[in-house]
Amino acid sequence: MADKKATLTIDGMDPIELPVYSGTMGPDVVDVRNLVKHGLFTYDPGFVSTASCESNITYIDGGKGQLLHRGYPIEDLAENADYLETCFLLLYGELPTEKEIAEFRHTITHHTMVHEQIHSFFHGFRRDSHPMAIMVAVIGALAAFYHDSLDITDPEHREITAHRLISKLPTIAAMVYKYTIGQPFTYPRNDLDYASNFLYMMFSNPCEEYQVNPVLAKAMDKIFILHADHEQNASTSTVRLTGSTGANPFACISSGIAALWGPAHGGANEAVLSMLEEIGHEDNIETFIAKAKDKDDPFRLMGFGHRVYKNYDPRAKVMKQHCDNVLAELGVRNDPLLRIATRLEKIALEDDYFVERKLFPNVDFYSGIILRAIGIPTSMFTVIFAIGRTPGWIAHWKELVEGKYRIGRPRQLYTGATQRPVPKR
């Protein structure tokens, strides 16, 4: 039932009444579905003013710097919950009880291994392939290995697949890294927590014992939490659009990974490191700051400000704390790129130009520095983003297929040639 109505008036046409709905939070939404009956479409490139679905998973208020998962502020989740508890929340709507999280941890931990034939699948890729190219292919191919639970109308199948994806993404990501550097794959360990297991699979080797640093594991856990979901962004909308066709969930998540690969989306923290490399030395910082302030110069400071958050990115405060902890733990503050990053952060927080425009360091800035300090190559940054975002993608896919949905079919404003005959020869 509509809360109120809007009236659209167009010259030469009778007024058109449109229902207006109010959510629990956020702007009202004008229901334009009936416009097609009047021979009209709406025009909204980038869908920046269009609500493509109804959802109860995540809410963002960019003006207030607010990010809520199922009503819980991201800062509270990062402080008082771990990644698997956040996964449970996104999937099931409530934070788990002690019994529920114990069962959930056991399930995820004991499904981290992948089918052994997937190992040989990797050998079809060049060693210098981009990690995201391999991720898109391997995740999509999981449907060929786990085709026993692909009935999207079966709740049990949906749950099994959700657990498989969350548990196996870190294993596959680590395999991607090992393959690109020519090292043997490392099997997961059931005695390690989620983040520690990922670091173990990334950095251990058969030649020596590897001990996971708890400071690094905690920072990695927070990176996963802070990337777990971000409402109807490009990759999540891609997952939902793919899901609307009835595609299997592995294909849907693969499509999300493909969308995340774009430098304007998941490649942002990778772009931060590329920018630091372009600056090259602390002595060049002032020159590049001047370039950033020059509206006619194409150079942009990556990792500062955010398209959604018009205030401070709520995730950045959490990430900054763990960034400081990691740098202190590893004693790598003299790394040239990290020194540049530290100076840039100080300038952005104090310079009137950046403060007035609210161009604060965002989560991509700090996560990029952390991953660099840990020793993860830049090409793997977006892969790690994909691990963190997986429960959000799955939650949105489940919400879609468990409700009433139609196949996505956006319209267009056609500006091409009108009908014309093919010339006779």
Side-chain angles (χ1 to χ4, degrees):
M1 193 68 158
D3 301 288
K4 43 195 167 183
K5 292 182 179 179
T7 302
L8 175 63
T9 303
I10 299 175
D11 289 346
M13 296 180 64
D14 293 333
I16 303 171
E17 281 198 342
L18 301 170
V20 179
Y21 302 101
S22 299
T24 53
M25 301 176 74
D28 289 347
V29 175
V30 180
D31 186 342
V32 298
R33 285 175 290 182
N34 286 332
L35 285 181
V36 67
K37 296 179 180 179
H38 299 273
L40 295 169
F41 301 147
T42 58
Y43 182 62
D44 183 21
F47 308 112
V48 293
S49 298
T50 298
S52 61
C53 64
E54 180 180 327
S55 180
N56 57 27
I57 299 169
T58 295
Y59 174 77
I60 295 173
D61 186 323
K64 294 179 180 178
Q66 185 180 45
L67 170 59
L68 309 177
H69 292 329
R70 306 287 192 181
Y72 294 103
I74 189 63
E75 305 94 318
D76 288 357
L77 288 171
E79 178 69 26
N80 301 305
D82 66 17
Y83 180 64
L84 288 186
E85 288 173 310
T86 305
C87 290
F88 189 98
L89 171 68
L90 290 171
L91 292 178
Y92 303 112
E94 298 291 342
L95 285 168
T97 63
E98 289 187 13
K99 182 174 183 285
E100 287 172 333
I101 193 58
E103 292 175 351
F104 188 68
R105 286 191 205 284
H106 182 273
T107 298
I108 298 302
T109 300
H110 288 79
H111 285 84
T112 49
M113 287 185 66
V114 297
H115 195 289
E116 195 69 12
Q117 275 189 273
I118 291 176
H119 289 218
S120 58
F121 185 63
F122 272 80
H123 298 294
F125 299 105
R126 288 172 53 110
R127 291 279 180 180
D128 60 356
S129 301
H130 193 288
M132 284 295 281
I134 303 176
M135 287 293 289
V136 169
V138 175
I139 299 305
L142 290 180
F145 291 89
Y146 302 108
H147 47 73
D148 58 329
S149 55
L150 293 182
D151 182 356
I152 66 172
T153 66
D154 186 325
E156 184 179 359
H157 282 203
R158 293 196 296 267
E159 181 157 294
I160 290 171
T161 303
H163 292 166
R164 280 176 170 163
L165 280 162
I166 292 171
S167 62
K168 297 181 193 307
L169 253 291
T171 306
I172 293 170
M175 291 172 70
V176 170
Y177 173 64
K178 289 295 193 183
Y179 182 75
T180 58
I181 63 173
Q183 288 188 5
F185 298 137
T186 301
Y187 286 94
R189 278 174 43 184
N190 291 347
D191 61 323
L192 295 176
D193 64 62
Y194 193 87
S196 297
N197 202 18
F198 174 64
L199 292 175
Y200 172 78
M201 290 187 288
M202 284 282 291
F203 296 117
S204 65
N205 67 69
C207 301
E208 57 189 359
E209 186 177 356
Y210 176 80
Q211 294 292 333
V212 179
N213 187 316
V215 174
L216 307 190
K218 187 172 184 179
M220 185 60 66
D221 186 80
K222 300 311 173 188
I223 287 176
F224 290 154
I225 290 176
L226 297 177
H227 289 90
D229 192 47
H230 211 237
E231 205 218 66
Q232 305 306 319
N233 54 80
S235 58
T236 300
S237 296
T238 298
V239 170
R240 294 187 78 122
L241 188 60
T242 306
S244 76
T245 70
N248 74 75
F250 296 113
C252 295
I253 301 307
S254 178
S255 73
I257 294 172
L260 190 71
W261 192 358
H265 189 8
N269 51 10
E270 187 174 339
V272 170
L273 267 292
S274 298
M275 174 197 69
L276 296 178
E277 290 171 352
E278 182 181 357
I279 294 173
H281 193 278
E282 287 180 271
D283 294 344
N284 300 328
I285 289 178
E286 294 301 328
T287 299
F288 279 90
I289 289 292
K291 287 165 65 68
K293 292 179 180 180
D294 183 356
K295 64 180 181 180
D296 296 323
D297 194 298
F299 176 78
R300 292 291 180 267
L301 282 179
M302 304 304 295
F304 294 84
H306 195 280
R307 179 183 179 184
V308 172
Y309 300 109
K310 305 310 176 187
N311 208 316
Y312 198 75
D313 183 340
R315 303 167 297 173
K317 183 178 180 181
V318 179
M319 207 76 273
K320 172 177 167 50
Q321 174 192 338
H322 289 279
C323 182
D324 292 340
N325 293 344
V326 167
L327 295 182
E329 176 70 16
L330 297 178
V332 293
R333 291 186 181 276
N334 287 327
D335 179 293
L337 292 191
L338 298 181
R339 286 175 64 88
I340 294 171
T342 302
R343 281 279 305 279
L344 280 177
E345 177 198 25
K346 181 173 171 43
I347 291 170
L349 294 175
E350 296 177 356
D351 189 300
D352 289 343
Y353 177 89
F354 295 98
V355 173
E356 290 170 4
R357 291 165 175 76
K358 302 185 188 304
L359 297 176
F360 303 114
N362 60 34
V363 68
D364 298 309
F365 181 78
Y366 291 116
S367 63
I369 296 172
I370 290 174
L371 296 176
R372 159 85 180 191
I374 290 175
I376 294 172
T378 307
S379 60
M380 282 291 296
F381 285 8
T382 315
V383 173
I384 289 170
F385 192 152
I387 297 172
R389 184 54 56 87
T390 297
W393 287 333
I394 298 169
H396 283 275
W397 172 79
K398 284 177 80 274
E399 184 177 66
L400 172 84
V401 300
E402 290 171 1
K404 295 180 180 179
Y405 67 94
R406 300 176 64 184
I407 184 172
R409 180 58 171 88
R411 300 294 187 167
Q412 65 176 10
L413 174 63
Y414 178 71
T415 56
T418 55
Q419 182 173 323
R420 51 185 172 171
V422 177
K424 295 181 179 179
R425 301 187 187 278

